[in-house]
């Protein structure tokens, strides 16, 4: 972080490797969509010598792990890992999508990393920074993950490094904005007629040197006279911020007393504060211009990563238990220790099949050895867990991920990442351990997908492949949930947003060869009797041989919500023979399941069989089933049938300034706000009960309403009577569908 000399330490054409955990740095890049994370990764890889020019791997591939839909949409939709070497260290750069729909990939990156770079664009509004990154920042803060901030796009017209640094201090600094301070100031060239001023270099605040990149190479020079004042002002604030985090309590008194603190002492204290997660330096970076080998600020950033970010040895491991749930001491990050590793991402390769990205926390993973796979992947809250995995699997080939390239590895030590081919049925979140001592790591949480996508196979050929394609799709993406609704008979993919839906449909088509059509999602409604009624079912037919003869009379009365269907036998005198009473009940229940008005299941009624007639020869089980169904339909025709809709308990967590608009919006959805409460500084939790018909697209609408800062969860509460005018509309739609209009 001072004025260092750098040898070329590239890894072009071969896998970057490490022989001990202390020489590994795992860094996840977090930021809003369009902030420039992928461009920054490419610039860092180029500076480190892993690529020969921006975005190109020496052996012909590309750094960014884009698939077809990413090319088309111009956005990253999955986690990409790029390992580089710098100064004798291996750095695993984990590039995550910035779009909220792909937060599952972000969570995987956070699990695999030991530190985070928050990338913010000077060209974006402050709301964009808040909306996407604040929650992740707080999540990192909760576990003490070290963080630094990189400001990009300073070469865009009307941008301000000072303004964005101030915004970051307010958003991320919390009560201590002096914990978020720049290490370098940008040097801008002459402003053109369009307001564009190119970034030409950096001013090092600690080294008091200008690092000029305008010639295509980094050159260090003393600052000019007109640069001294802003340098000294920013330098003084930075030194005070570093000293405030120092473990040497005498340092501040010495500094305020006029002592010139040695730069090595400042750098050592800075690196310790960054590694502890108590100080968050702000840097800036830009990709290399034509003909330049190094991007602006990339050397400084690589120095910060290797010098200030912690090693895997310093990361506390998640809780570890036996398969029976007994807590075990967390193993040390030791290549010679017992094997404990975790699948942090699952992907499909058209040639290799399923490929697992694995983070090794303890021990060493080697090809062709047998490991124990334990867990049930990741499960979104409130839903059934996925199938439990408990098997011994032979590890396939190990490789170092590099965008779409895979470079062979002979082993993967504790603290490192590797791709593993053919891990059986292992899914994201599963634990790999030694067969003689199986262990299970505490899983991380995933958001609950709340946007439904109902699909149907496009053709008979697609129908045959649909089940397998969906199973592979869901195994690859733990933020996607598959539901086969027994009430509506729909296949539903629950996603995080519209972009997530688009990716799901595209992958089904391009990867798994399944063409599907999206159809309107149906909410499972119910029917019930609004009042008591009676019905007579007469099923009498004579057509040669044995005839069919059954007559039954029933009374139907409504019951309280949640009562289901209650069948009562009050037949006297043997009017309906005892052996046929279960047949009547079976017919009644079958008709109730089919519905009596709009095709939705009938609930919350008591059906009493009070009389009937039978024939000694022609009565049968089938005849009385038919008579029971006819009786229920006749009873329904003589009274009003009420439609019931499901109501969800909804909890919306939003910044305080959005409480009014959110509550107004919920009321417009026929919702009832039942309470609000503070949930941390500046945030409010709104509790409401809202009909499910009104919140099918709430995942999208809330994101728009709150500028990406709000999130919600929902759970089924009960079914309630639907407003008559809405119920009539649904009945009309059903009648029109039945008539083919």
């Amino acid at each position: 972080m001072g004025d260092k000399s750098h040898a070329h330490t590239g890894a072009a054409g071969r896998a970057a490797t490490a022989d001990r955990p202390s020489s590994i740095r795992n860094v996840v890049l977090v930021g809003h969509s369009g902030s420039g994370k992928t461009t920054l990764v490419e610039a860092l890889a180029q500076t480190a010598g892993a690529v020969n020019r921006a975005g190109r791997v020496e052996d012909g591939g590309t750094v960014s792990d884009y698939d077809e839909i990413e090319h088309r949409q111009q956005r990253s939709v999955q986690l990409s890992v790029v390992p580089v070497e710098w100064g004798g260290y291996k750095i695993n750069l984990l590039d995550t999508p910035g779009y909220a729909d792909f937060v599952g990939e972000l969570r995987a990156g956070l699990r695999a990393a030991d530190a985070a770079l928050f990338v913010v664009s000077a060209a974006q509004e402050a709301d964009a920074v808040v909306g996407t990154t604040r929650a992740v920042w707080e999540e990192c803060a909760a576990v003490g993950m070290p963080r630094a901030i990189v400001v990009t796009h300073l070469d865009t017209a009307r941008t301000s490094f000072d303004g964005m640094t101030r915004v970051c201090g307010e958003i991320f600094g919390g009560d201590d904005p002096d914990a978020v301070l720049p290490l370098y100031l940008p040097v801008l060239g002459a402003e053109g007629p369009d307001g564009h001023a190119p970034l030409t270099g950096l001013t090092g605040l600690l080294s008091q040197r200008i690092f000029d990149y305008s010639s295509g190479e980094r050159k260090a020079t003393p600052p000019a006279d007109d640069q001294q004042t802003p340098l000294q002002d920013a330098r003084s604030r930075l030194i005070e911020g570093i000293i405030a985090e120092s473990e040497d309590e005498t340092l501040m008194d010495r500094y305020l007393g006029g002592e010139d603190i040695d730069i090595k002492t400042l750098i050592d204290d800075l690196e310790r504060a960054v590694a502890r997660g108590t100080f968050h330096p702000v840097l800036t970076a830009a990709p290399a211009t034509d003909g330049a080998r190094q991007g602006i600020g990339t050397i400084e950033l690589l120095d910060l990563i290797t010098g200030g970010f912690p090693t895997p040895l310093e990361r506390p491991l998640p809780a570890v238990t036996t398969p029976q749930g007994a807590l075990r001491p967390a193993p040390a990050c030791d290549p010679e220790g017992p094997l404990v590793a975790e699948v942090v991402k699952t992907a499909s390769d058209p040639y290799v099949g399923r490929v697992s990205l694995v983070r090794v926390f303890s021990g060493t993973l080697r090809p062709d050895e047998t490991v124990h796979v334990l867990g049930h992947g990741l499960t979104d809250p409130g839903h059934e867990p996925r199938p439990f995995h408990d098997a011994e699997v032979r590890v396939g080939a190990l490789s170092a991920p590099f965008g779409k390239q895979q470079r062979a590895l002979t082993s993967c030590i504790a603290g490192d990442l590797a791709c593993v081919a053919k891990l059986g049925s292992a899914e994201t979140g599963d634990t790999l351990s030694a067969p003689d001592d199986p262990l299970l790591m505490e899983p991380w949480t995933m958001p609950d997908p709340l946007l439904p996508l109902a699909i149907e196979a496009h053709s008979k050929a697609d129908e045959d492949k649909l089940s397998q394609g969906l199973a592979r799709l869901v195994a690859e993406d733990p933020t996607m949930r598959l539901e086969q609704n027994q009430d509506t008979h729909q296949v539903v993919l629950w996603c995080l947003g519209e972009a997530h839906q688009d990716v799901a449909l595209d992958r089904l088509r391009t990867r798994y060869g399944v063409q599907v059509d999206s159809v309107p999602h149906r909410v499972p409604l119910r029917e019930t009797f609004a009042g008591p009624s009676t019905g007579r079912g007469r099923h009498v037919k004579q057509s040669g041989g044995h005839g069919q003869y059954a007559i039954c009379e029933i009374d139907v009365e409504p019951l309280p919500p949640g009562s289901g269907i209650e069948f009562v036998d009050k037949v006297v005198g043997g009017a309906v023979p005892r052996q046929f009473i279960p047949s009547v009940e079976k017919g009644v229940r079958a008709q109730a399941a089919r519905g009596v008005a709009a095709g939705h299941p009938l609930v919350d009624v008591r059906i009493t069989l009070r009389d009937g007639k039978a024939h000694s020869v022609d009565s049968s089980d089938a005849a009385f089933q038919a008579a029971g169904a006819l009786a229920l339909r006749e009873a329904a025709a003589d009274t009003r049938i009420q439609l019931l809709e499901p109501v969800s308990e909804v909890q919306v967590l939003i910044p305080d300034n959005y409480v009014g608009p959110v509550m107004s919006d919920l009321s417009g959805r026929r919702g009832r706000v039942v309470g609000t409460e503070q949930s941390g500084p500046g945030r409010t939790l709104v509790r409401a009960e809202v009909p499910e018909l009104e919140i099918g697209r709430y995942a999208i609408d809330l994101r728009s309403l709150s500028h990406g800062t709000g999130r919600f969860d929902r759970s089924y509460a009960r079914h309630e009577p639907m407003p008559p005018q809405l119920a009539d509309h649904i009945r009309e739609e059903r009648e029109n569908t039945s008539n083919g209009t």
Side-chain angles (χ1 to χ4, degrees), residues 152-170:
T152 59
H153 299 156
L154 277 175
D155 54 354
T156 306
R158 293 178 293 280
T159 57
S160 167
F161 178 77
D162 291 341
M164 184 52 68
T165 301
R166 187 165 52 253
V167 167
C168 290
E170 294 169 355

Side-chain angles (χ1 to χ4, degrees), residues 513-564:
V514 183
Q515 186 76 38
V516 298
D517 300 320
S518 57
V519 296
H521 175 246
R522 296 195 294 268
V523 170
L525 305 178
R526 301 283 186 269
E527 300 173 356
T528 193
F529 277 55
S533 184
T534 62
R536 184 173 189 267
R538 184 177 185 275
H539 185 72
V540 178
K541 291 186 178 180
Q542 186 67 46
S543 57
H546 278 298
Q548 298 181 50
Y549 190 97
I551 298 175
C552 62
E553 297 178 4
I554 62 172
D555 295 329
V556 184
E557 56 186 313
L559 292 176
S563 300

